[in-house]
């Protein structure tokens, strides 16, 4: 038998979901030294993220089956195919891993899961223990999913909703100025009965049952949404930004020398950083237009681009921009954004990237693709004043050149940077002694260990 407290942690093994969950576990496990945290995740995802907490003896890793039968031939349906197989394998795959964890560390006293793993609530209820969810896609995503039924009643689905793309989400004022077109597709547009849409709808119904819903965010980032959620959830706990709260994960190695390259930049806030996260990449013609826009702007740039997409850069681009640009397969993003040389970020508005950018005082050029990203692009531009949305949702050569010129060189860009700096200050205050994220973290600790 292990220690008395045993937290079962159920990860969603796709995109960047598992990393922030393990980051949160790291912070908890460092304080709750007598508790064991069993991290249940697929072998592939575990291999990718484990270094975040591998040095902690009270964090143990268990492999969960990914749903791929031996000899399964992928049907080429992209990331959704793997997600659907994983969903089909739930909850059996998690139960099997959990039984091994219980054998090693004793009965579970709390379940902590990615909010996507809505079956975690059932498992916690069966064991009579609290369930805490980490909503990795942030508060706007939770809100939209929480009100899926209302949104479907108000705007219809499929063709009916498509006729209302420009209508504002007036039935959910905290999400304004987002419009129907900005909602996660699976709420109104995609096949609402697909396994993924049903997973998201299923999880939404569970949110109010969670003892707490935790966010990699901070009070003051998007007050209307967080304030609304505080009235709907048992506990709404922004405890981030994770990359500013101790203990930090071991720093990612800077294998390509990005930071040294940034050190050599001639002036502050002069470099544009480009990354579209772990899931998406713009279609090839758009990627080429982005490169042309950056080249035309004359700006220095650091581009995190997967090797497979490099062939889509314009012919001769690398040679022509060699003296002012760097293209790498992976960058230590949080440290890149914190570097004073970085003045703009071309992003898909994934939740973590967005938080990392505002918490570093860096304005954004937004090219959202899916999920909550379109809502965030709208909010970053219209409410927070720290983002410029790609016109008609697509990056063009001229649009990129104009936006970079505005952010890096014009007074409007200076104003955006000041607004981003103000958010950075709010983030730093939140994680300081007595700050809101610090207090929320203590509340979370109390749920995990009421005697703490
Ligand atoms: C899905 O988003 P992504 O995983 O594509 O994007 P982010 O939430 O922005 O997370 C990307 C993370 O990867 C890190 C970066 C972020 O923490 O710092 N990273 C890096 O370190 N180096 C690189 O070169 C590139 C990235 C989904 F598509 C979104 O809608 C959700 O909001 C998100 C969270 O659930 O997951």
């Amino acid at each position: 038998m292990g220690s008395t407290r045993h937290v079962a942690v159920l990860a969603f093994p796709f995109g960047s979901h598992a990393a922030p969950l393990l980051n949160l576990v790291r912070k908890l496990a460092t304080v709750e030294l007598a508790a064991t945290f069993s991290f249940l995740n697929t072998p592939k995802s575990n291999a990718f993220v484990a270094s975040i907490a591998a040095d902690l003896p009270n964090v143990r890793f268990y492999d969960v089956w990914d749903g791929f039968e031996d000899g399964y031939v992928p049907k080429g349906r992209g990331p959704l195919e793997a997600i659907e197989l994983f969903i089909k394998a739930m909850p059996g795959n998690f139960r099997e891993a959990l039984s091994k964890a219980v054998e090693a560390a004793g009965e579970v006293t709390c379940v902590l899961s990615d909010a996507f793993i809505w079956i975690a609530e059932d498992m916690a209820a069966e064991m009579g223990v609290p369930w805490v969810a980490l909503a990795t896609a942030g508060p706007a995503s939770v809100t939209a999913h929480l009100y899926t039924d209302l949104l479907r009643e108000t705007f219809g689905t499929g063709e009916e909703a498509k006729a209302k793309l420009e209508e504002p989400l007036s039935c959910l004022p905290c999400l304004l100025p987002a419009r129907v077109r900005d909602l996660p597709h699976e709420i109104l547009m995609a096949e609402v009965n697909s396994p993924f849409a049903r997973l998201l709808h299923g999880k939404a119904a569970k949110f109010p049952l969670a003892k707490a819903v935790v966010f990699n965010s901070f009070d003051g980032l998007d007050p209307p949404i967080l304030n609304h959620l505080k009235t709907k959830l048992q506990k709404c706990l922004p405890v981030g930004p994770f990359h500013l709260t101790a203990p930090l994960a071991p720093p990612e190695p800077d294998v390509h020398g990005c930071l040294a390259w940034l050190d050599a930049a001639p002036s502050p806030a002069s470099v544009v950083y480009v990354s579209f996260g772990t899931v998406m990449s713009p279609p090839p013609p758009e990627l080429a237009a982005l490169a042309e826009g950056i080249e035309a702007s004359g700006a220095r740039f650091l581009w995190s681009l997967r090797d497979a997409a490099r062939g889509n850069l314009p012919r001769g681009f690398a040679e022509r921009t060699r003296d002012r640009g760097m293209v790498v397969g992976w960058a230590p993003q949080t440290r890149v954004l914190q570097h004073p040389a970085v003045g703009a970020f071309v992003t898909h508005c994934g939740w973590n990237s967005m938080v990392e950018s505002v918490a570093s005082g860096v304005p954004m050029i937004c090219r959202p693709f899916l999920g909550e990203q379109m809502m965030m692009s709208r909010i970053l531009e219209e409410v927070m004043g720290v983002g410029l949305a790609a016109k008609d949702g697509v990056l063009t050569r001229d649009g990129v050149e104009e936006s970079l010129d505005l952010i890096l060189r014009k007074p409007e860009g200076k104003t955006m940077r000041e607004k981003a700096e103000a958010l950075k200050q709010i983030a730093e205050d939140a994680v300081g002694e007595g700050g809101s994220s610090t207090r929320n973290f203590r509340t979370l600790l109390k749920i995990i260990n009421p005697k703490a």
Side-chain angles (χ1 to χ4, degrees):
M1 284 292 283
S3 58
T4 43
R5 299 260 143 219
H6 180 193
V7 182
V9 188
L10 280 57
F12 183 69
F14 301 99
S16 62
H17 277 250
L21 183 64
L22 190 53
N23 235 305
L24 177 64
V25 166
R26 176 175 184 82
K27 294 169 203 309
L28 294 165
T30 317
V31 181
E32 278 298 307
L33 288 170
T36 299
F37 293 79
S38 297
F39 196 77
L40 279 46
N41 192 14
T42 58
K44 190 172 163 199
S45 178
N46 264 340
F48 192 64
V49 299
S51 64
I52 294 174
D55 56 329
L56 300 178
N58 56 338
V59 179
R60 296 182 190 167
F61 293 87
Y62 292 88
D63 286 342
V64 171
W65 183 47
D66 59 10
F68 279 78
E69 299 282 358
D70 282 346
Y72 177 83
V73 181
K75 306 203 170 23
R77 294 181 47 240
L80 218 48
E81 182 174 354
I83 292 176
E84 288 180 4
L85 288 173
F86 185 75
I87 294 171
K88 244 173 104 183
M90 291 194 320
N93 55 352
F94 275 115
R95 286 189 194 284
E96 201 183 324
L98 187 64
S99 67
K100 290 184 188 140
V102 168
E103 219 169 90
E107 293 303 322
V108 170
T109 54
C110 181
V111 174
L112 167 63
S113 80
D114 187 298
F116 273 32
I117 308 294
W118 87 99
I119 52 137
E121 192 276 327
D122 303 331
M123 292 169 76
E126 277 167 26
M127 294 185 276
V129 301
W131 171 53
V132 174
L134 171 68
T136 50
S141 164
V142 168
T143 309
H145 286 115
L146 204 51
Y147 287 99
T148 296
D149 293 335
L150 172 72
L151 291 165
R152 288 180 182 171
E153 275 158 31
T154 310
F155 300 108
T157 57
E159 291 308 315
E160 193 186 343
K162 279 186 191 148
K164 301 174 184 165
L165 289 181
E166 299 313 319
E167 288 191 21
L169 301 180
S170 306
C171 57
L172 268 179
C174 67
L175 289 182
L176 291 173
R179 305 149 296 186
V180 167
R181 66 159 62 253
D182 302 316
L183 283 169
H185 297 145
E186 58 284 350
I187 291 188
L188 305 180
M189 304 297 171
E191 236 189 282
V192 294
N193 282 322
S194 72
F196 191 50
R198 277 191 280 123
L199 174 143
L200 295 173
H201 196 191
K203 90 175 175 176
K206 299 287 188 184
F207 280 131
L209 302 175
K211 279 282 169 287
V213 179
V214 180
F215 296 99
N216 175 20
S217 187
F218 52 96
D219 271 330
L221 179 59
D222 40 16
I225 302 178
L226 277 176
N227 289 341
H228 180 76
L229 285 181
K230 283 176 188 167
T231 68
K232 291 286 155 199
L233 303 172
Q234 291 188 36
K235 279 202 169 34
C236 165
L237 299 179
V239 298
F242 286 175
H243 69 289
L244 298 185
T245 54
L248 297 177
E252 272 203 60
D254 181 15
V255 284
H256 303 290
C258 300
L259 300 168
W261 184 82
L262 287 172
D263 285 343
S267 47
S270 60
V271 176
V272 53
Y273 170 62
V274 184
S275 165
F276 297 101
T278 62
V279 183
M280 292 306 296
S281 182
E286 205 180 332
L287 199 93
L290 168 59
E292 286 164 6
I294 293 176
E295 188 176 353
S297 79
R300 294 175 77 82
F301 66 89
L302 172 61
W303 193 331
S304 166
L305 182 67
R306 280 187 284 275
D307 291 345
R310 278 196 197 203
N312 299 317
L313 292 172
R315 191 185 294 265
F317 174 77
E319 292 73 35
R320 289 194 303 274
T321 57
R322 178 165 293 140
D323 58 338
R324 61 187 172 88
M326 189 169 178
V327 180
V328 298
W330 185 259
Q333 181 167 306
T334 52
R335 290 190 287 159
V336 164
L337 287 168
Q338 285 168 324
H339 196 289
V342 174
F345 180 16
V346 181
T347 173
H348 64 314
C349 304
W351 182 259
N352 300 295
S353 292
M354 192 279 296
V355 170
E356 291 160 11
S357 197
V358 291
S360 307
V362 177
M364 284 157 269
I365 294 173
C366 308
R367 194 320 185 181
F369 294 91
L370 50 80
E372 82 297 346
Q373 297 163 8
M374 289 76 69
M375 292 189 290
M376 288 322 300
S377 165
R378 190 87 172 142
I379 291 169
L380 287 167
E381 180 170 76
E382 301 277 333
V383 182
M384 300 186 201
V386 297
L388 289 179
K391 197 158 170 279
D392 298 324
V394 179
L395 296 166
T396 59
R397 177 196 178 283
D398 292 352
V400 169
E401 186 184 359
E402 252 170 58
S403 301
L404 283 176
D405 194 39
L406 187 143
I407 294 185
L408 297 176
R409 299 175 189 124
K410 298 251 166 77
E412 294 95 318
K414 188 164 173 268
T415 307
M416 288 173 78
R417 194 153 24 259
E418 282 162 5
K419 289 184 176 168
E421 285 289 340
L423 286 170
K424 175 183 173 189
Q425 187 57 55
I426 296 174
E428 286 173 358
D429 291 347
V431 301
E433 189 57 43
S436 54
S437 289
T438 309
R439 291 196 307 274
N440 288 337
F441 185 73
R442 279 195 209 112
T443 305
L444 175 59
L445 278 174
K446 278 272 174 216
I447 296 172
I448 284 174
N449 181 5
K451 291 187 188 138

